[in-house]
Amino acid sequence: MSDAIHQEVTFNATPSRVYAALMDSGEHATFTANGAAEISRDAGGAFSAHGGEIVGRNIELVPDRRIVQAWRVKHWPEGVYSVIRFELEDDNGGTRLVFDHWGAPEEQREHLAEGWKQRYWEPLQRYLG
């Protein structure tokens, strides 16, 4: 899909630890440092992050391996969602995270791609050590 944001990053933590940090409301809010998060751990469950600026639903959850979510920024037009996928792979005791984000409005893709790096990957690497 040509409109996808594709990023790959490694962490010095197990896939289980990375999954937990992404899916635990408190940990998510702590490492992103940008407002409260409320994250359901159930497929079909709702989530919000960054103080309610990001909202959506979990589509598929495979503990310690995969997170797929319908994801949107609060100010997008009503009913407009994108899809994000986190794939977690063991990498010699660490984690290789393969991330894809499809369907974001074209004019926001560059901003979102940079945001994933600045608001997620870099602070998560620091948080996990």
Side-chain angles (χ1 to χ4, degrees):
M1 295 185 170
S2 62
D3 69 343
I5 296 167
H6 177 84
Q7 298 176 344
E8 298 185 19
V9 62
T10 58
F11 297 95
N12 292 322
T14 65
S16 175
R17 184 70 191 98
V18 174
Y19 185 93
L22 291 168
M23 292 300 295
D24 179 88
S25 300
E27 286 195 75
H28 192 281
T30 297
F31 84 77
T32 59
N34 193 39
E38 293 183 28
I39 303 169
S40 169
R41 290 182 174 247
D42 298 320
F47 70 87
S48 68
H50 303 279
E53 291 298 312
I54 305 299
V55 296
R57 294 228 171 250
N58 298 322
I59 297 170
E60 179 185 12
L61 299 174
V62 180
D64 309 335
R65 288 191 35 225
R66 180 180 308 116
I67 301 164
V68 181
Q69 297 173 322
W71 186 98
R72 69 185 309 270
V73 178
K74 185 171 80 172
H75 70 266
W76 286 0
E78 192 173 318
V80 174
Y81 284 82
S82 59
V83 175
I84 62 172
R85 179 181 63 202
F86 304 82
E87 289 282 346
L88 308 175
E89 303 170 0
D90 183 86
D91 186 22
N92 295 315
T95 300
R96 178 174 169 257
L97 185 149
V98 178
F99 175 80
D100 291 291
H101 186 167
W102 299 278
E106 184 176 353
E107 67 277 5
Q108 294 190 15
R109 284 189 206 123
E110 186 175 327
H111 169 76
L112 290 168
E114 191 58 34
W116 285 110
K117 293 175 188 173
Q118 291 180 358
R119 297 254 183 220
Y120 279 82
W121 317 143
E122 292 169 4
L124 186 55
Q125 285 172 322
R126 288 190 298 273
Y127 180 74
L128 295 173

